[in-house]
Amino acid sequence: MLLRKLGHALAATAALFPVTSAKEKDEGGQSTFVSPDGDVAFAIDIGENTNTEVYFSLRVKKNRSWGAVGLGSEDMPGALFLMVYKSRTTNNVTFSPRLAYGHYEPYYWDEMDYEILNTTGIIDDHMVATIRCKSGCRSWPSHGGQKGYLDVYDHNSKAVFAFGPKEDYYSDDTDAPLKYHAGYGSFSLDIKRTHGKSELPSLSDSTKDVGSELIYATKAKPNWASPLHGVFMVLSIIFLMPIGVVLLRSGGWVKWHALNQSIATLGVFAGFGIGVANSFYYQRSRSFDDPHQIIGFVVTGLLLGQFGLGVMHHTQYRRTQAPTKYGKFHLWVGRIILFLGTLNAFLGFTFALNRKFGMLLALLIIFICISSLILIYGRRYMDKRRLGPRGPGLAGPQQYSAPPWREPPPQHMGYPSDPPPGYQPPSNQAGLGQMSPALRSPSPWQSNDKDDEADLNLGREQRPREF
């Protein structure tokens, strides 16, 4: 009996031993999270001051344009985002606290009081920001007048993470515009365990998840709206519309010109709609006050007027077969559209943070301009060579020569003093009367025989120009 009781006591002691060991291993300190691919790592520590301050460290791979962690929410709306991206200063980073009110780019929040600590900058291949938050990290404005908050006594506090595409991006502005995220996810943090005396949070390549758990992680679907908007606008204004000009000026193909410009106009309207819808995803475009957007509205409005002028001009021209006043306005409005549209394309690539595509656009514009000039003026030159200035068959100007009786006398010779002798009919025609009309041989222009029309080369049909 005594041995049985002793065995039960030993079993109970053995069962409690792992729990005791686990508690001894978790001595508090920072809670850390590392995303599956290591793109984003985050550490948080409350320390002894449980009323106001929060210490945290954010580590993002340097090849990413930006990285962020959002506290207080398992989704974007209502979260306080702690964001970092490379600074223009060598080996430094820019820290930017932002608030998210929806599923669009968070906006910069300037009411957070924080101190950037020494372990901040470009360290090896990572952007690192170590921050001491004095106020504004435990509660903040949220959507609908509510308050977002961070419960420092929570063992299961929800948070989100996100990172930008792989590219070099540098800015010293805390409200710098950002590109659409390339990946994101959600995780939970045990913040309560970080209370007490501890050191500053730190992150390294050997950092593992401690006091955190991944909920989900996913790669973001590409935001095709921005590039699709650019494709529609560039193809319609910079490519198709100049082709329409060439069709009219070089070949005189009015119907093909109208069809081509109608397709280009529909392309502009499609790009305009996509651009407006996509503007709501970014802080830089939500207010619609950027020069790129303003010029875009102007060009779209002019294009509506341009289309109407073209229809009215062609309708009146078909009745009168003469140039109209609508045609002049149609011509100049088209030139303004091409100029403003081309200028706005360069502004658009800068606005979308894709300046490198501006060089490709410049090469495309140069190619289109040279090709258009060759087609338009080359066709006119070939027509002049083929027809000549005075009609078919005369390739060059003909030298005019005076008739023999108007030519001056040879040098050192004067005019004869005596008048020329009178006309004397030949002896064999003496006494003959006037020839009968019936016996006359008809001249070619009096002949009843019609010339073959195939022998006449009168050139192509001449039609009045619409413009």
Side-chain angles (χ1 to χ4, degrees):
M1 189 68 174
L2 182 61
L3 293 175
R4 181 179 296 178
K5 290 183 179 180
L6 182 60
H8 286 304
L10 291 174
T13 303
L16 292 174
F17 183 76
V19 177
T20 305
S21 300
K23 289 184 178 179
E24 290 177 356
K25 288 182 180 179
D26 190 359
E27 298 176 352
Q30 66 182 26
S31 289
T32 58
F33 166 77
V34 181
S35 64
D37 294 331
D39 292 295
V40 177
F42 181 72
I44 188 170
D45 197 335
I46 301 301
E48 296 179 340
N49 189 347
T50 59
N51 295 324
T52 57
E53 294 183 347
V54 176
Y55 294 85
F56 57 84
S57 181
L58 179 63
R59 188 172 187 255
V60 180
K61 285 185 177 180
K62 190 174 65 173
N63 60 353
R64 294 291 179 181
S65 57
W66 58 269
V69 167
L71 301 177
S73 176
E74 58 183 345
D75 199 0
M76 281 190 67
L80 169 64
F81 275 87
L82 311 172
M83 188 170 293
V84 65
Y85 40 87
K86 292 183 287 291
S87 171
R88 295 188 182 277
T89 306
T90 305
N91 293 328
N92 204 358
V93 298
T94 300
F95 173 73
S96 174
R98 305 192 180 200
L99 297 180
Y101 281 173
H103 291 93
Y104 50 86
E105 181 185 6
Y107 75 93
Y108 171 65
W109 189 45
D110 59 356
E111 297 183 15
M112 176 175 159
D113 185 13
Y114 59 90
E115 177 187 358
I116 299 177
L117 303 179
N118 293 332
T119 54
T120 297
I122 302 295
I123 301 176
D124 297 331
D125 292 330
H126 293 81
M127 300 178 283
V128 179
T130 304
I131 306 296
R132 173 194 173 207
C133 180
K134 302 176 183 179
S135 64
C137 294
R138 301 198 180 191
S139 64
W140 52 85
S142 185
H143 186 62
Q146 300 177 356
K147 285 284 185 179
Y149 64 93
L150 177 67
D151 186 358
V152 297
Y153 294 94
D154 194 352
H155 288 282
N156 191 30
S157 179
K158 298 297 188 294
V160 294
F161 70 93
F163 49 87
K166 291 183 178 180
E167 63 179 27
D168 288 332
Y169 180 74
Y170 300 87
S171 179
D172 295 330
D173 299 329
T174 52
D175 60 347
L178 302 174
K179 279 193 174 182
Y180 200 75
H181 53 251
Y184 61 95
S186 177
F187 62 98
S188 62
L189 278 171
D190 184 355
I191 301 179
K192 176 66 170 63
R193 64 177 296 277
T194 66
H195 292 192
K197 186 177 181 180
S198 62
E199 298 179 354
L200 290 177
S202 61
L203 297 166
S204 64
D205 291 337
S206 60
T207 300
K208 304 295 182 182
D209 290 344
V210 177
S212 65
E213 183 179 357
L214 176 68
I215 299 176
Y216 73 90
T218 184
K219 298 293 184 182
K221 295 180 180 179
N223 180 19
W224 291 108
S226 292
L228 197 61
H229 164 76
V231 168
F232 270 109
M233 289 303 191
V234 170
L235 286 181
S236 299
I237 296 180
I238 298 180
F239 184 72
L240 285 180
M241 287 189 176
I243 288 180
V245 175
V246 173
L247 290 174
L248 184 64
R249 293 299 184 190
S250 176
W253 297 307
V254 178
K255 292 183 179 179
W256 286 107
H257 166 80
L259 177 62
N260 181 87
Q261 302 305 72
S262 298
I263 295 174
T265 301
L266 292 176
V268 171
F269 290 157
F272 177 80
I274 295 172
V276 170
N278 191 53
S279 295
F280 293 100
Y281 286 97
Y282 302 93
Q283 291 297 330
R284 60 185 178 274
S285 56
R286 288 179 62 85
S287 57
F288 294 94
D289 57 356
D290 187 83
H292 172 71
Q293 295 172 296
I294 295 173
I295 295 177
F297 280 106
V298 172
V299 169
T300 304
L302 289 175
L303 198 58
L304 282 172
Q306 166 83 343
F307 187 80
L309 287 171
V311 172
M312 290 188 293
H313 160 74
H314 188 66
T315 302
Q316 183 173 339
Y317 174 81
R318 292 183 64 181
R319 294 196 309 264
T320 62
Q321 292 296 309
T324 69
K325 60 181 180 180
Y326 302 117
K328 295 181 179 179
F329 286 108
H330 179 79
L331 179 65
W332 278 102
V333 171
R335 291 171 178 172
I336 294 173
I337 289 174
L338 288 177
F339 173 75
L340 290 179
T342 303
L343 173 65
N344 208 32
F346 287 101
L347 296 178
F349 284 121
T350 302
F351 189 56
L353 308 180
N354 284 319
R355 296 178 180 87
K356 59 183 179 181
F357 290 104
M359 296 299 297
L360 298 177
L361 177 63
L363 295 176
L364 176 62
I365 292 173
I366 293 174
F367 171 76
I368 291 176
C369 290
I370 294 176
S371 301
S372 300
L373 292 175
I374 291 175
L375 290 174
I376 293 175
Y377 291 100
R379 177 63 181 270
R380 294 180 182 178
Y381 176 76
M382 294 301 295
D383 285 346
K384 288 182 179 180
R385 288 290 304 271
R386 182 171 60 88
L387 300 177
R390 299 177 61 189
L394 299 177
Q398 302 298 313
Q399 185 68 30
Y400 175 78
S401 59
W405 57 85
R406 292 188 180 274
E407 291 184 355
Q411 193 174 5
H412 306 299
M413 291 183 62
Y415 288 99
S417 57
D418 298 331
Y423 173 75
Q424 298 292 333
S427 59
N428 59 353
Q429 294 183 6
L432 295 179
Q434 187 175 5
M435 184 178 294
S436 172
L439 299 177
R440 294 178 183 173
S441 60
S443 61
W445 54 86
Q446 292 176 335
S447 174
N448 294 328
D449 297 333
K450 188 176 181 181
D451 292 337
D452 188 3
E453 294 182 357
D455 295 336
L456 298 178
N457 182 15
L458 301 180
R460 63 176 181 174
E461 180 184 2
Q462 302 297 314
R463 301 177 61 186
R465 287 177 54 180
E466 287 198 36
F467 298 97

